Amino acid sequence: MSKTISIKLTQSGPTTGPFNIYDQFGNVIAEGVSRKTLVRGISYIVNDDVSIITIKSTGRCKAENSISVEDIPVTQFANINLIQTVTACTWTHLLNIRNYNTFYGNIEPYIIEYPFAYKFQDEILQNVVDYTKVYDYFPIFDGVFNNNTRIETNDKYFNKAVLYNGQQSSGLLELVAKPINNLQAYNQYPIYNTDSKTITYTKSDNFYQYNTFWALEKSSQIPLFNRTCKSLSIDKVINEANMDYGVRSFKKATLRAKELKVRHILDNSSTTHLVSQFIITPAQISYK
């Protein structure tokens, strides 16, 4: 014989889910159930002898809870509302000095944004000069950290950048190290992608530099960024519908304003330790 049970999520953190549901015998009732579905409530047909169900969050925030199957009035079930908690998941990291922006096996973006305010005249951005120390670490066998286990590298850096002001944006710039002693490889850049532009950076006298950028927005009257729901730690993403990454021979608008923001992103590595010291943005006064 079988019966119908209804399940509704009453309390969870914002990053829990998707969920797997089991009975007390270990049989799978459902897999990959979204948080939204459980908040709304869903019903399943199970065997009559099922008295306990276990709900497991299988995503980034692991959680598990077992509850007894009980009879409650339909009106009471309908009035159950979700209580969202922000402490339902404990984040643990920095247990390995060789891993930095990794949380439960997933690389999370390391983002730093620098604001610049110019004086009375508008200024045209020439290039970006960044003094950042980049470290790689070797394994530690005695469990005691020391600075002798790290080296400062020359070929690793942020892999993305966005330069923007109130009405202009460079779009997404993908940063790669300039090919050394290979003119043919260097001449391939910039590379125009569907939703980004790949440019090179150099390191000279301990400064990272790049300068192959211009304003790519189609219209200054359309938002340059959109809100994102992918991660609570990311406040905005580029509005790609307003960006034009096509090849431009002559019409390359400069980034010109009384202020500028430089956003650097590292999201392709968790073993690169970036220690930002300072950044400058050489600019030229623009007269009109």
Side-chain angles (χ1 to χ4, degrees):
M1 298 292 292
S2 60
K3 61 183 178 182
T4 300
I5 62 171
S6 297
I7 304 172
K8 205 170 188 182
L9 197 61
T10 60
Q11 186 173 353
S12 79
T15 58
T16 54
F19 299 90
N20 291 347
I21 305 173
Y22 308 88
D23 61 23
Q24 73 263 34
F25 307 109
N27 299 317
V28 178
I29 299 176
E31 290 183 318
V33 183
S34 68
R35 181 174 180 269
K36 182 177 180 180
T37 298
L38 282 183
V39 170
R40 187 170 56 242
I42 190 170
S43 298
Y44 297 102
I45 297 176
V46 299
N47 294 331
D48 271 343
D49 57 352
V50 173
S51 59
I52 298 175
I53 62 169
T54 299
I55 302 176
K56 292 183 178 181
S57 174
T58 61
R60 297 181 180 179
C61 185
K62 310 295 183 184
E64 180 178 335
N65 189 28
S66 296
I67 55 176
S68 299
V69 177
E70 301 177 357
D71 290 328
I72 63 173
V74 174
T75 53
Q76 181 180 342
F77 181 83
N79 291 329
I80 293 176
N81 294 316
L82 174 73
I83 299 175
Q84 181 167 293
T85 62
V86 295
T87 59
C89 180
T90 302
W91 294 92
T92 58
H93 61 288
L94 293 181
L95 300 179
N96 183 344
I97 68 162
R98 303 186 71 193
N99 291 327
Y100 285 88
N101 47 317
T102 297
F103 297 89
Y104 295 98
N106 298 296
I107 297 177
E108 298 294 341
Y110 167 56
I111 302 173
I112 185 169
E113 184 169 289
Y114 301 91
F116 294 90
Y118 301 125
K119 296 182 181 180
F120 182 77
Q121 297 285 351
D122 281 9
E123 296 196 19
I124 299 173
L125 179 64
Q126 303 288 301
N127 62 312
V128 174
V129 181
D130 183 10
Y131 178 33
T132 292
K133 293 184 177 181
V134 184
Y135 296 107
D136 269 349
Y137 289 83
F138 292 95
I140 292 178
F141 300 103
D142 58 4
V144 180
F145 171 78
N146 65 82
N147 288 331
N148 297 326
T149 62
R150 71 182 185 185
I151 59 171
E152 189 171 345
T153 69
N154 295 320
D155 58 350
K156 294 184 179 180
Y157 186 53
F158 292 95
N159 65 301
K160 293 177 181 178
V162 183
L163 316 176
Y164 68 98
N165 54 46
Q167 292 187 309
Q168 297 176 302
S169 173
S170 68
L172 181 61
L173 303 174
E174 297 196 42
L175 307 177
V176 298
K178 177 183 176 180
I180 304 299
N181 300 324
N182 191 335
L183 183 60
Q184 183 178 3
Y186 174 69
N187 286 335
Q188 296 177 358
Y189 297 95
I191 298 175
Y192 300 93
N193 309 307
T194 303
D195 54 2
S196 66
K197 184 175 67 175
T198 304
I199 65 174
T200 61
Y201 66 81
T202 61
K203 183 180 181 183
S204 178
D205 292 335
N206 291 306
F207 286 109
Y208 289 91
Q209 303 183 54
Y210 59 92
N211 60 5
T212 312
F213 47 76
W214 49 84
L216 294 177
E217 77 286 344
K218 297 177 182 177
S219 172
S220 62
Q221 303 306 299
I222 298 176
L224 302 176
F225 294 94
N226 290 328
R227 181 183 177 187
T228 176
C229 297
K230 181 179 179 181
S231 171
L232 296 178
S233 64
I234 303 176
D235 60 332
K236 56 193 173 186
V237 293
I238 295 175
N239 181 8
E240 297 293 358
N242 192 29
M243 298 295 132
D244 179 9
Y245 293 101
V247 178
R248 300 186 184 185
S249 299
F250 302 104
K251 294 180 62 178
K252 297 177 181 178
T254 56
L255 291 171
R256 175 184 181 274
K258 291 182 173 61
E259 49 89 19
L260 171 74
K261 292 183 177 66
V262 177
R263 171 170 286 217
H264 285 161
I265 304 168
L266 175 70
D267 63 5
N268 67 343
S269 172
S270 63
T271 59
T272 302
H273 183 200
L274 299 166
V275 182
S276 297
Q277 307 293 316
F278 63 86
I279 185 173
I280 59 175
T281 54
Q284 176 183 356
I285 295 178
S286 176
Y287 297 97
K288 186 174 181 180

